Amino acid sequence: MSDGVRWMPRAEAVSRTSVADAVLTDLREAISSGAIPVGTRLPAEAVLSERYGVSRPLVREALRSLQALGLTRTRTGSGTFVIADRLNPSTTFGDFSSRDLVEARPHVEVPAAGFAAERRSEQQRDELVRLCAEMDASDDADEWVRLDSRFHALVAEASGNAVFAKTLADIRDALAHQSQIVNLVAQRRAASGREHRRIAEAIAVGSAIEAREAMRAHLSEVERVITPLAAGAAPDAAD
């Protein structure tokens, strides 16, 4: 196995808003195109940091994302190796499969959003709006996923239904993992942010119909990305 020392990143790769996303995208494209062949050992973090002109923590974040997508594997003491040139993320999230989540979420989160519009407190309303603003402002992928998980849990809590709230609490880690994969594969953070804001606004004004429809539309987009992965195909990127 060889080091990927002949490959060089594109100069424009780090000119985007999210530097870690730019590094990840460039590495993904280099792997999928064969510029970094399967079996290659990637350059060390320090080398990648120098080549991209970014900090080592940002490189580390990109490398973690590559592994989450099933493209690389890190071996302690040996380095990070390319193991696939096509996306192969795990479609099992903790104790739940992607199918489990896709099938169950609409039956829990859609009605929960409707009840939240009717029952939410002013504090819950304000927190939902604040979470949307924090997601829009966040450049950190892990922080965004944490905020996303809190948003969905809060909608269930605001429904005033203990079964919905407990269900979301029980699957929260699985949802966070699924959210991470969806964003890595389809780069949906901006689109997802708009969908979350639509949900929050409907709940804020007390429209149960609009809240249910907004949540249903959001979960449909998640299903659109996740379902092809379970079948071994790559989904289309979202706008």
Side-chain angles (χ1 to χ4, degrees):
M1 295 185 180
S2 60
D3 292 337
V5 294
R6 295 183 180 178
W7 157 82
M8 291 293 288
R10 296 197 309 271
E12 69 271 18
V14 294
S15 64
R16 306 177 194 182
T17 301
S18 173
V19 177
D21 285 348
V23 174
L24 171 62
T25 297
D26 195 59
L27 287 168
R28 275 182 57 186
E29 291 177 355
I31 291 170
S32 63
S33 69
I36 305 179
V38 173
T40 297
R41 181 173 61 192
L42 293 179
E45 286 181 8
V47 175
L48 289 173
S49 176
E50 181 178 355
R51 288 185 179 182
Y52 281 108
V54 301
S55 67
R56 290 180 66 172
L58 287 174
V59 168
R60 196 171 301 125
E61 180 182 337
L63 293 178
R64 285 199 304 266
S65 297
L66 285 175
Q67 183 158 299
L69 292 172
L71 296 175
T72 64
R73 179 175 298 152
T74 299
R75 302 172 186 170
T76 303
S78 299
T80 297
F81 294 83
V82 177
I83 61 172
D85 57 9
R86 287 182 291 181
L87 297 176
N88 185 33
S90 169
T91 52
T92 300
F93 309 109
D95 296 329
F96 308 101
S97 71
S98 60
R99 187 183 68 179
D100 292 334
L101 296 177
V102 164
E103 290 178 351
R105 290 183 70 182
H107 297 287
V108 176
E109 296 195 70
V110 171
F115 286 128
E118 297 171 341
R119 301 170 179 171
R120 54 89 182 140
S121 67
E122 291 186 4
Q123 181 179 354
Q124 289 167 331
R125 175 200 64 195
D126 293 345
E127 186 177 355
L128 285 171
V129 173
R130 177 182 60 77
L131 286 170
C132 288
E134 291 185 8
M135 281 189 278
D136 288 344
S138 178
D139 285 330
D140 183 279
D142 291 339
E143 174 68 7
W144 194 96
V145 167
R146 186 191 70 77
L147 294 168
D148 176 44
S149 297
R150 175 55 188 155
F151 181 94
H152 285 273
L154 181 57
V155 170
E157 292 167 15
S159 75
N161 184 301
V163 174
F164 290 158
K166 180 65 164 58
T167 299
L168 263 290
D170 287 347
I171 65 173
R172 186 168 180 171
D173 289 345
L175 292 184
H177 188 183
Q178 186 185 68
S179 178
Q180 177 193 35
I181 294 299
V182 168
N183 289 329
L184 289 174
V185 170
Q187 298 181 339
R188 289 205 74 250
R189 279 198 294 186
S192 185
R194 292 190 293 271
E195 292 158 15
H196 283 87
R197 187 168 292 281
R198 182 185 170 203
I199 296 166
E201 289 173 349
I203 291 173
V205 300
S207 175
I209 293 175
E210 291 182 13
R212 288 193 294 267
E213 180 53 36
M215 182 64 80
R216 186 178 292 109
H218 171 59
L219 296 180
S220 293
E221 286 302 304
V222 174
E223 181 179 2
R224 182 182 65 81
V225 175
I226 284 294
T227 299
L229 294 179
D236 296 330
D239 294 334

